[in-house]
Amino acid sequence: MPSSPLDPARLTAELIRCPSVTPEEGGALQLLDEILTGAGFACTRVNRGGVANLFARWGPKGAERTFGFNGHTDVVPVGDEAAWSVPPFGAVEKDGMLWGRGATDMKSGVAAFVAAAVDFVAETPPDGAVILAITGDEEGDAVDGTRALLDWMDENDERMSACIVGEPTCPDRMGEMIKIGRRGSLSAWITLTGVQGHSAYPHRAKNPLPAMARLMDRMASHTLDEGTEHFDPSTLAVVTIDTGNPATNVIPAQCRATVNIRFNDAHDSASLIACIQAEIGRVAAEFGVTGEMQVKVSGESFLTPPGPLSDLVARAVEAETGATPVLSTTGGTSDARFVKDHCPVVEFGLVGQTMHQVDERVEIDQIHQLKAVYTQILRDYFT
């Protein structure tokens, strides 16, 4: 057991110094494994597909009440290192900030819940169990990260009763937002094929470009919905249209486009895919071309309805920050989309203004605040 409280800011700095760009472990999970094992947690490395993951449990397996935290230690690439004012993995402290890749997203969140869990079980051993599920594959394809941990837990009869994902959730001020759900995400790669020909003789060709322009206009102009009780309206973004044609006297045979849809709980991916396919069929018939589509679904929309878990987190946030958090479903996807199939889940973490940016940084005081919030949540949950 640690003789003094575990400093979450110092632990964040140690994690930043681990160059854990997805899928490299970089020493981050090894560091956490050593700390948690020393604090009495039963640790298991759940590695899959070349990805390192860490499962840690304090308390009895199969406990009736088991509170969990989920997070990741992998980070996005640094980009142009010359554009940084500090070494990206240097964990420099200046101006009350801790600087480095992963400072916000989300080594600070992992450090805060690790420090909270270690100190909590040492000071007031709970009647139950605390589980930490930490992945090295959140910023990548996320196939062998939290999914692997949850698969392993199912196979080994490990269970969380409730879980917090420690992603940054606050837009501007510490404590202002809790995420109780996320929109789904779907990307579609569409190809329309006509007949190549000379641009001086368009009647001898079948040009897929006007067809694609019509298709993209129809899709982008269509209102998917007006929003639901807990979600903003769904959105469709056209992200690229391309032929790869350098010639001005050639009508190309193919045109490709990609769209991304962020959808609320008025839809599921299957219904949206069917709608897109139907629209492709209509335009293809209208222009005499053929169409095909490939789709990747990154996650379905989900909601943890406001209730005991969000109330528990909100009380702790208000007690430690003085802010009354709003319950939100905004933003992109997170690993909560996987955890929601295992147990009730919400997200709460730091202010995320600089995540993925050059000179990523976090207020050191906020890291300590976050540990205090997580500690209060554990106290209230097991009281």
Side-chain angles (χ1 to χ4, degrees), residues 53-119:
N53 303 294
L54 176 64
F55 173 88
R57 172 177 40 79
W58 186 96
K61 179 178 179 179
E64 183 176 348
R65 304 172 70 214
T66 301
F67 199 87
F69 290 92
N70 170 255
H72 65 92
T73 54
D74 64 313
V75 298
V76 297
V78 301
D80 181 7
E81 189 167 348
W84 286 69
S85 64
V86 298
F89 298 109
V92 173
E93 292 186 27
K94 65 174 182 175
D95 304 325
M97 299 275 196
L98 181 60
W99 301 60
R101 177 58 82 224
T104 300
D105 188 13
M106 60 165 291
K107 290 182 174 180
S108 50
V110 171
F113 69 60
V114 167
V118 166
D119 289 349

Coordinates of all heavy atoms in Angstrom, one line a residue, residues 53-119:
N53 N -3.4 -4.2 -23.4 CA -4.5 -3.7 -22.6 C -4.2 -4.2 -21.2 O -3.5 -5.2 -21.0 CB -5.8 -4.3 -23.1 CG -6.1 -3.9 -24.5 OD1 -6.3 -2.7 -24.8 ND2 -6.2 -4.9 -25.4
L54 N -4.8 -3.5 -20.2 CA -4.6 -3.9 -18.8 C -6.0 -3.9 -18.1 O -6.7 -3.0 -18.1 CB -3.7 -2.8 -18.1 CG -3.5 -3.0 -16.6 CD1 -2.7 -4.3 -16.3 CD2 -2.7 -1.8 -16.1
F55 N -6.2 -5.0 -17.4 CA -7.4 -5.2 -16.5 C -6.8 -5.3 -15.1 O -5.9 -6.0 -14.8 CB -8.1 -6.5 -16.9 CG -9.2 -6.8 -15.9 CD1 -10.5 -6.3 -16.0 CD2 -8.9 -7.7 -14.8 CE1 -11.5 -6.7 -15.1 CE2 -9.9 -8.0 -13.9 CZ -11.2 -7.5 -14.1
A56 N -7.4 -4.5 -14.2 CA -7.0 -4.5 -12.8 C -8.3 -4.5 -11.9 O -9.2 -3.7 -12.1 CB -6.1 -3.3 -12.5
R57 N -8.2 -5.4 -10.9 CA -9.4 -5.5 -10.0 C -8.9 -5.5 -8.6 O -8.0 -6.3 -8.2 CB -10.2 -6.7 -10.2 CG -11.3 -7.0 -9.2 CD -12.2 -8.1 -9.5 NE -11.5 -9.3 -10.0 CZ -10.8 -10.2 -9.3 NH1 -10.7 -10.0 -8.0 NH2 -10.2 -11.2 -9.9
W58 N -9.4 -4.6 -7.7 CA -9.2 -4.7 -6.3 C -10.5 -5.2 -5.7 O -11.6 -4.7 -6.0 CB -8.9 -3.3 -5.7 CG -8.5 -3.4 -4.2 CD1 -7.3 -3.5 -3.7 CD2 -9.4 -3.5 -3.1 NE1 -7.4 -3.6 -2.3 CE2 -8.7 -3.6 -1.9 CE3 -10.8 -3.5 -3.0 CZ2 -9.2 -3.7 -0.6 CZ3 -11.4 -3.6 -1.7 CH2 -10.6 -3.7 -0.6
G59 N -10.4 -6.2 -4.8 CA -11.6 -6.8 -4.2 C -12.0 -8.1 -4.8 O -11.3 -8.6 -5.8
P60 N -13.0 -8.8 -4.3 CA -13.3 -10.2 -4.7 C -13.9 -10.2 -6.1 O -14.7 -9.3 -6.5 CB -14.3 -10.6 -3.7 CG -15.0 -9.4 -3.2 CD -13.9 -8.3 -3.2
K61 N -13.6 -11.2 -6.8 CA -14.2 -11.5 -8.1 C -15.6 -11.8 -7.9 O -16.0 -12.6 -7.0 CB -13.5 -12.6 -8.8 CG -14.0 -13.0 -10.2 CD -13.2 -14.1 -10.8 CE -13.8 -14.6 -12.1 NZ -13.0 -15.6 -12.8
G62 N -16.5 -11.3 -8.7 CA -17.9 -11.6 -8.6 C -18.6 -10.8 -7.5 O -19.8 -11.2 -7.1
A63 N -18.0 -9.7 -7.0 CA -18.6 -9.0 -5.9 C -20.0 -8.4 -6.4 O -20.1 -8.0 -7.6 CB -17.7 -7.8 -5.5
E64 N -20.9 -8.3 -5.5 CA -22.3 -7.8 -5.9 C -22.2 -6.4 -6.4 O -22.9 -6.0 -7.4 CB -23.2 -7.9 -4.7 CG -24.6 -7.5 -5.1 CD -25.6 -7.7 -3.9 OE1 -25.2 -8.4 -2.9 OE2 -26.7 -7.2 -4.0
R65 N -21.3 -5.6 -5.8 CA -21.2 -4.2 -6.2 C -19.8 -4.0 -6.7 O -18.8 -4.1 -5.9 CB -21.5 -3.3 -5.0 CG -22.9 -3.5 -4.5 CD -23.1 -2.7 -3.2 NE -23.2 -1.3 -3.5 CZ -22.8 -0.4 -2.6 NH1 -22.2 -0.7 -1.5 NH2 -23.0 0.9 -2.9
T66 N -19.6 -3.6 -8.0 CA -18.3 -3.5 -8.6 C -18.4 -2.2 -9.4 O -19.1 -2.1 -10.4 CB -18.0 -4.7 -9.4 OG1 -18.0 -5.8 -8.6 CG2 -16.6 -4.5 -10.1
F67 N -17.5 -1.2 -9.0 CA -17.5 0.0 -9.8 C -16.3 0.0 -10.7 O -15.2 -0.4 -10.3 CB -17.4 1.2 -8.9 CG -17.9 2.5 -9.5 CD1 -19.2 2.9 -9.6 CD2 -16.9 3.3 -10.2 CE1 -19.6 4.1 -10.2 CE2 -17.3 4.5 -10.8 CZ -18.6 4.9 -10.9
G68 N -16.5 0.5 -12.0 CA -15.4 0.4 -12.9 C -15.1 1.8 -13.5 O -15.9 2.7 -13.6
F69 N -13.8 1.9 -14.0 CA -13.3 3.0 -14.8 C -12.7 2.5 -16.1 O -12.1 1.4 -16.1 CB -12.3 3.8 -14.0 CG -12.8 4.6 -12.8 CD1 -12.8 4.0 -11.6 CD2 -13.3 5.9 -13.0 CE1 -13.3 4.7 -10.5 CE2 -13.7 6.6 -11.9 CZ -13.7 6.0 -10.6
N70 N -12.9 3.2 -17.1 CA -12.4 2.8 -18.4 C -11.6 4.0 -19.0 O -12.1 5.2 -18.9 CB -13.5 2.4 -19.4 CG -13.0 2.2 -20.8 OD1 -13.2 3.0 -21.7 ND2 -12.2 1.1 -21.1
G71 N -10.5 3.7 -19.6 CA -9.7 4.8 -20.3 C -8.7 4.2 -21.2 O -8.5 3.0 -21.3
H72 N -7.9 5.2 -21.8 CA -6.8 4.7 -22.7 C -5.5 5.5 -22.5 O -5.6 6.7 -22.1 CB -7.3 4.8 -24.2 CG -7.5 6.2 -24.6 ND1 -6.6 7.0 -25.2 CD2 -8.6 7.0 -24.6 CE1 -7.1 8.2 -25.5 NE2 -8.3 8.2 -25.2
T73 N -4.4 4.8 -22.7 CA -3.1 5.4 -22.6 C -2.5 5.7 -24.0 O -1.4 6.3 -24.1 CB -2.2 4.6 -21.8 OG1 -2.1 3.3 -22.3 CG2 -2.6 4.5 -20.3
D74 N -3.1 5.2 -25.1 CA -2.6 5.5 -26.4 C -2.9 6.9 -26.8 O -3.9 7.5 -26.3 CB -3.0 4.5 -27.4 CG -4.5 4.5 -27.6 OD1 -5.3 4.5 -26.7 OD2 -5.0 4.5 -28.8
V75 N -2.1 7.5 -27.7 CA -2.3 8.9 -28.1 C -2.1 9.0 -29.6 O -1.6 8.1 -30.2 CB -1.2 9.8 -27.4 CG1 -1.4 9.8 -25.9 CG2 0.2 9.4 -27.8
V76 N -2.6 10.1 -30.2 CA -2.5 10.3 -31.6 C -1.0 10.8 -31.9 O -0.3 11.2 -31.0 CB -3.5 11.4 -32.1 CG1 -4.9 10.9 -31.9 CG2 -3.3 12.7 -31.4
P77 N -0.6 10.7 -33.1 CA 0.7 11.2 -33.5 C 0.9 12.6 -33.1 O 0.0 13.4 -33.1 CB 0.8 10.9 -35.0 CG -0.1 9.8 -35.2 CD -1.3 10.0 -34.3
V78 N 2.2 13.0 -33.0 CA 2.5 14.4 -32.6 C 2.3 15.4 -33.7 O 2.2 16.6 -33.5 CB 3.9 14.6 -31.9 CG1 4.0 13.6 -30.7 CG2 5.0 14.2 -33.0
G79 N 2.3 14.9 -35.0 CA 2.3 15.8 -36.1 C 3.6 16.4 -36.4 O 4.7 15.8 -36.2
D80 N 3.6 17.7 -36.7 CA 4.9 18.4 -37.0 C 5.6 18.8 -35.6 O 5.2 19.7 -35.0 CB 4.6 19.7 -37.8 CG 5.9 20.5 -38.1 OD1 7.0 20.0 -37.8 OD2 5.7 21.6 -38.6
E81 N 6.6 18.0 -35.3 CA 7.2 18.2 -34.0 C 7.9 19.5 -33.9 O 8.0 20.1 -32.8 CB 8.3 17.1 -33.8 CG 8.9 17.1 -32.4 CD 9.7 15.8 -32.1 OE1 9.6 14.8 -32.8 OE2 10.4 15.8 -31.0
A82 N 8.3 20.1 -35.0 CA 8.9 21.4 -35.0 C 8.0 22.5 -34.6 O 8.4 23.6 -34.2 CB 9.6 21.7 -36.4
A83 N 6.6 22.2 -34.8 CA 5.6 23.2 -34.4 C 5.4 23.3 -32.9 O 4.7 24.2 -32.5 CB 4.3 22.9 -35.2
W84 N 5.8 22.3 -32.2 CA 5.6 22.3 -30.7 C 6.6 23.2 -30.1 O 7.8 23.4 -30.5 CB 5.9 20.9 -30.2 CG 4.8 19.9 -30.5 CD1 4.5 19.3 -31.7 CD2 3.9 19.3 -29.5 NE1 3.4 18.5 -31.6 CE2 3.0 18.4 -30.2 CE3 3.7 19.4 -28.2 CZ2 2.0 17.7 -29.6 CZ3 2.7 18.7 -27.5 CH2 1.9 17.8 -28.3
S85 N 6.1 23.9 -29.0 CA 7.0 24.8 -28.3 C 7.7 24.1 -27.1 O 8.6 24.6 -26.5 CB 6.2 26.0 -27.7 OG 5.3 25.5 -26.7
V86 N 7.3 22.8 -26.9 CA 7.9 21.9 -25.9 C 8.1 20.6 -26.5 O 7.5 20.2 -27.5 CB 7.1 21.8 -24.6 CG1 6.9 23.2 -23.9 CG2 5.7 21.2 -25.0
P87 N 9.0 19.7 -26.0 CA 9.1 18.3 -26.5 C 7.7 17.6 -26.2 O 7.2 17.6 -25.1 CB 10.2 17.7 -25.6 CG 11.0 18.9 -25.1 CD 10.0 20.0 -24.9
P88 N 7.2 17.0 -27.3 CA 5.9 16.4 -27.2 C 5.7 15.3 -26.0 O 4.7 15.2 -25.5 CB 5.6 15.8 -28.5 CG 6.5 16.5 -29.4 CD 7.7 16.9 -28.6
F89 N 6.8 14.7 -25.7 CA 6.8 13.7 -24.7 C 7.7 14.1 -23.5 O 8.1 13.2 -22.7 CB 7.2 12.3 -25.2 CG 6.3 11.8 -26.3 CD1 6.8 11.7 -27.6 CD2 5.0 11.3 -26.0 CE1 5.9 11.2 -28.6 CE2 4.2 10.9 -27.0 CZ 4.7 10.8 -28.3
G90 N 7.8 15.4 -23.3 CA 8.7 15.9 -22.3 C 8.0 16.2 -21.0 O 8.6 16.3 -19.9
A91 N 6.7 16.2 -21.0 CA 5.9 16.5 -19.7 C 6.4 17.8 -19.0 O 6.7 17.8 -17.9 CB 5.9 15.3 -18.8
V92 N 6.5 18.8 -19.8 CA 7.0 20.1 -19.3 C 5.9 20.8 -18.4 O 4.7 20.8 -18.8 CB 7.4 21.0 -20.4 CG1 7.8 22.4 -19.9 CG2 8.6 20.4 -21.2
E93 N 6.3 21.3 -17.3 CA 5.4 22.1 -16.5 C 5.7 23.6 -16.6 O 6.8 24.0 -16.4 CB 5.5 21.7 -15.0 CG 5.0 20.3 -14.7 CD 5.0 20.0 -13.2 OE1 4.8 20.9 -12.4 OE2 5.1 18.8 -12.9
K94 N 4.7 24.4 -17.0 CA 4.9 25.8 -17.1 C 3.5 26.5 -17.1 O 2.6 25.9 -17.6 CB 5.8 26.3 -18.3 CG 5.1 26.0 -19.6 CD 6.0 26.6 -20.8 CE 5.3 26.4 -22.1 NZ 6.1 27.0 -23.2
D95 N 3.5 27.7 -16.5 CA 2.3 28.5 -16.5 C 1.1 27.7 -15.9 O -0.1 27.9 -16.3 CB 1.9 28.9 -17.9 CG 3.0 29.7 -18.6 OD1 3.7 30.4 -18.0 OD2 3.1 29.5 -19.9
G96 N 1.4 26.9 -14.9 CA 0.3 26.1 -14.2 C -0.2 25.0 -15.1 O -1.3 24.4 -14.7
M97 N 0.4 24.7 -16.2 CA 0.0 23.7 -17.1 C 1.0 22.5 -17.2 O 2.2 22.8 -17.0 CB -0.2 24.3 -18.5 CG -1.2 25.4 -18.6 SD -2.9 24.7 -18.8 CE -3.7 26.2 -19.4
L98 N 0.5 21.4 -17.5 CA 1.4 20.2 -17.9 C 1.2 20.0 -19.4 O 0.1 19.8 -19.9 CB 0.9 19.0 -17.1 CG 1.7 17.7 -17.3 CD1 3.2 17.9 -17.0 CD2 1.1 16.6 -16.5
W99 N 2.3 20.1 -20.1 CA 2.3 20.0 -21.6 C 2.8 18.7 -22.1 O 3.8 18.1 -21.5 CB 3.2 21.1 -22.1 CG 2.9 22.5 -21.7 CD1 2.8 23.0 -20.4 CD2 2.5 23.6 -22.5 NE1 2.5 24.3 -20.4 CE2 2.3 24.7 -21.7 CE3 2.4 23.8 -23.9 CZ2 1.9 26.0 -22.2 CZ3 2.1 25.0 -24.4 CH2 1.8 26.1 -23.6
G100 N 2.2 18.2 -23.2 CA 2.7 17.0 -23.8 C 1.5 16.3 -24.5 O 0.4 16.4 -24.1
R101 N 1.9 15.4 -25.4 CA 0.9 14.6 -26.1 C 0.2 13.6 -25.1 O 0.9 12.9 -24.4 CB 1.5 13.8 -27.3 CG 0.6 12.9 -28.0 CD -0.7 13.7 -28.6 NE -0.4 14.3 -29.9 CZ -0.8 15.5 -30.1 NH1 -1.5 16.3 -29.2 NH2 -0.6 16.1 -31.3
G102 N -1.1 13.7 -25.1 CA -1.8 12.9 -24.1 C -2.2 13.6 -22.8 O -2.9 13.0 -22.0
A103 N -1.7 14.8 -22.6 CA -1.9 15.5 -21.4 C -3.4 15.7 -21.1 O -3.9 15.5 -20.0 CB -1.3 16.9 -21.4
T104 N -4.2 15.9 -22.2 CA -5.7 16.1 -22.0 C -6.4 14.8 -22.4 O -7.3 14.3 -21.7 CB -6.2 17.2 -22.9 OG1 -5.6 18.4 -22.5 CG2 -7.7 17.3 -22.8
D105 N -5.9 14.2 -23.5 CA -6.6 13.0 -24.1 C -5.7 11.8 -24.1 O -5.0 11.6 -25.1 CB -7.1 13.3 -25.5 CG -8.0 12.3 -26.1 OD1 -8.5 11.4 -25.3 OD2 -8.3 12.3 -27.3
M106 N -5.8 10.9 -23.1 CA -6.4 11.2 -21.8 C -5.6 10.6 -20.7 O -6.1 10.0 -19.8 CB -7.9 10.6 -21.8 CG -7.9 9.1 -22.0 SD -9.5 8.3 -21.6 CE -9.5 8.5 -19.8
K107 N -4.3 10.8 -20.7 CA -3.4 10.3 -19.7 C -3.7 10.9 -18.3 O -3.6 10.3 -17.3 CB -2.0 10.4 -20.1 CG -1.6 9.5 -21.2 CD -0.1 9.6 -21.6 CE 0.2 8.5 -22.7 NZ 1.6 8.5 -23.1
S108 N -4.2 12.2 -18.3 CA -4.6 12.8 -17.1 C -5.8 12.1 -16.5 O -5.9 12.0 -15.3 CB -4.9 14.3 -17.3 OG -5.8 14.5 -18.4
G109 N -6.8 11.8 -17.3 CA -7.9 11.1 -16.8 C -7.6 9.7 -16.2 O -8.1 9.3 -15.2
V110 N -6.7 9.0 -16.9 CA -6.3 7.7 -16.4 C -5.6 7.8 -15.1 O -5.8 7.1 -14.1 CB -5.4 6.9 -17.5 CG1 -4.8 5.7 -16.8 CG2 -6.2 6.6 -18.7
A111 N -4.6 8.8 -15.0 CA -3.9 9.0 -13.8 C -4.8 9.4 -12.7 O -4.6 9.0 -11.5 CB -2.9 10.1 -14.1
A112 N -5.8 10.2 -13.0 CA -6.8 10.6 -11.9 C -7.6 9.5 -11.4 O -7.7 9.3 -10.1 CB -7.7 11.7 -12.4
F113 N -8.1 8.6 -12.2 CA -8.9 7.5 -11.7 C -8.0 6.4 -11.1 O -8.4 5.7 -10.1 CB -9.9 6.9 -12.6 CG -9.5 6.2 -13.9 CD1 -8.8 5.0 -13.8 CD2 -9.9 6.6 -15.1 CE1 -8.5 4.3 -15.0 CE2 -9.6 5.9 -16.3 CZ -8.9 4.8 -16.2
V114 N -6.8 6.2 -11.6 CA -5.8 5.3 -10.9 C -5.5 5.8 -9.5 O -5.5 5.0 -8.5 CB -4.6 5.1 -11.8 CG1 -3.5 4.4 -11.0 CG2 -4.9 4.3 -13.0
A115 N -5.1 7.1 -9.4 CA -4.8 7.6 -8.1 C -6.0 7.6 -7.1 O -5.8 7.3 -6.0 CB -4.3 9.1 -8.3
A116 N -7.2 7.9 -7.7 CA -8.4 7.8 -6.8 C -8.6 6.4 -6.3 O -8.9 6.2 -5.1 CB -9.6 8.4 -7.6
A117 N -8.5 5.5 -7.2 CA -8.8 4.1 -6.8 C -7.8 3.5 -5.8 O -8.1 2.9 -4.8 CB -8.8 3.2 -8.1
V118 N -6.5 3.8 -6.1 CA -5.4 3.3 -5.2 C -5.6 3.9 -3.8 O -5.5 3.1 -2.8 CB -4.0 3.7 -5.8 CG1 -2.9 3.5 -4.7 CG2 -3.7 2.8 -7.0
D119 N -5.8 5.2 -3.7 CA -5.9 5.8 -2.4 C -7.2 5.4 -1.7 O -7.3 5.1 -0.5 CB -5.9 7.3 -2.5 CG -4.5 7.8 -2.8 OD1 -3.5 7.0 -2.8 OD2 -4.3 9.0 -3.2

